[in-house]
Amino acid sequence: MAANLKNNKQMEALKKGFQDIQTVMQEGNYKLFVKQFVAVLVVFLGFKYCSGQFADKINNYNGQMDAIHMQQSSEREYMTNKDLLFELEPRFPDISDKNGWLTSQILGVFKEAELTPQMDGSQTEDASNPTYEAVSLQVSSEMDFTRFARFLADIENNDEYLKVSDFSITKDTDPEHLGNNKISMKFNTIFPKEKIAKKLFKDYDKIMAQKRAKPEAKKQAGGK
């Protein structure tokens, strides 16, 4: 009820105000409103102009922020790819060592596992890919299932890029070798035809020196 009374009073005041303006205009005293009209017009135009400038500034600001965000995203993507290249590329052997690297790695993992390898044929090479050359070598040995599982796990956790792509297991039927198996494995590696990190990044030597220093620091800390 109180709200209705208030609204009615406002409407009555508004109507009276328009009636007064109409009366003054009819009496020819419109000059009384010229200053007020000009002032309102100036304020209106000023507001319109400032609003336009403000909108332009907002749009310009938003455009600059979008550009900054895109640049930051590109920088993050660039640094992520750079770190990944520095992490992975050293794990691949140099193509200049392709004639002996795979054989030496295989002999090393078998020696560490105290197993005797037998090379089944010569090294095969596939240079059809434009960026790398794939090399494989078939090797066989004898071991039980548990030892073989541990042997594969050690190879998979090797820092160097050395993989067993497939294998076959034949149970040894000799009673003297109960539980033993003859296992044939295909070892693989990849030789990049060109390592590009050193050419791409001026800080290559510095970053690689830092990476080499970290394991040394850990060893020294462990020794103490």
Side-chain angles (χ1 to χ4, degrees):
M1 185 69 177
N4 290 335
L5 289 174
K6 185 176 180 180
N7 290 336
N8 289 336
K9 288 182 180 180
Q10 289 177 346
M11 290 298 296
E12 290 175 3
L14 189 60
K15 289 179 180 179
K16 187 176 185 307
F18 279 114
Q19 289 173 356
D20 291 342
I21 292 173
Q22 187 176 7
T23 301
V24 173
M25 294 293 289
Q26 289 173 351
E27 292 174 351
N29 294 325
Y30 58 87
K31 292 182 180 180
L32 294 173
F33 293 96
V34 172
K35 290 183 179 179
Q36 290 88 336
F37 176 75
V38 172
V40 171
L41 182 62
V42 169
V43 171
F44 174 77
L45 293 176
F47 177 76
K48 187 75 174 176
Y49 175 75
C50 291
S51 296
Q53 278 196 333
F54 183 72
D56 290 341
K57 289 181 179 179
I58 289 295
N59 291 334
N60 184 42
Y61 173 78
N62 289 334
Q64 290 179 352
M65 291 302 298
D66 289 341
I68 290 172
H69 289 153
M70 287 181 64
Q71 181 181 0
Q72 289 176 338
S73 177
S74 297
E75 288 175 355
R76 285 193 295 268
E77 184 177 352
Y78 172 84
M79 292 306 297
T80 299
N81 290 333
K82 179 179 178 180
D83 292 341
L84 186 61
L85 183 62
F86 272 96
E87 180 68 26
L88 293 179
E89 193 177 72
R91 297 175 63 183
F92 291 90
D94 293 328
I95 197 166
S96 59
D97 298 331
K98 72 173 184 175
N99 292 327
W101 189 89
L102 182 58
T103 301
S104 65
Q105 288 295 315
I106 292 172
L107 292 175
V109 294
F110 272 92
K111 181 179 180 181
E112 187 174 348
E114 297 181 347
L115 293 169
T116 302
Q118 179 180 340
M119 306 299 176
D120 300 330
S122 59
Q123 178 173 290
T124 60
E125 301 174 0
D126 181 2
S128 59
N129 190 283
T131 57
Y132 64 83
E133 187 167 335
V135 177
S136 61
L137 185 60
Q138 199 77 25
V139 183
S140 61
S141 186
E142 296 183 1
M143 63 191 88
D144 59 32
F145 285 113
T146 302
R147 200 170 188 184
F148 178 55
R150 189 162 51 245
F151 181 71
L152 280 182
D154 290 340
I155 293 173
E156 290 296 321
N157 293 323
N158 199 319
D159 289 336
E160 306 291 348
Y161 189 78
L162 182 67
K163 300 296 178 184
V164 174
S165 61
D166 55 65
F167 59 85
S168 61
I169 301 176
T170 304
K171 187 176 182 180
D172 193 339
T173 57
D174 188 341
E176 294 183 1
H177 300 119
L178 186 63
N180 213 25
N181 305 284
K182 294 181 179 180
I183 302 176
S184 178
M185 294 163 279
K186 186 177 182 180
F187 284 81
N188 302 271
T189 193
I190 290 176
F191 295 92
K193 292 183 177 179
E194 181 184 20
K195 290 194 174 183
I196 61 175
K198 189 174 181 66
K199 292 183 177 181
L200 286 178
F201 308 113
K202 294 181 179 179
D203 56 352
Y204 175 85
D205 292 330
K206 179 182 177 182
I207 292 177
M208 292 307 298
Q210 292 173 348
K211 287 183 175 293
R212 287 191 292 267
K214 287 181 179 180
E216 294 298 327
K218 287 183 180 180
K219 286 181 180 178
Q220 292 178 3
K224 293 179 181 180

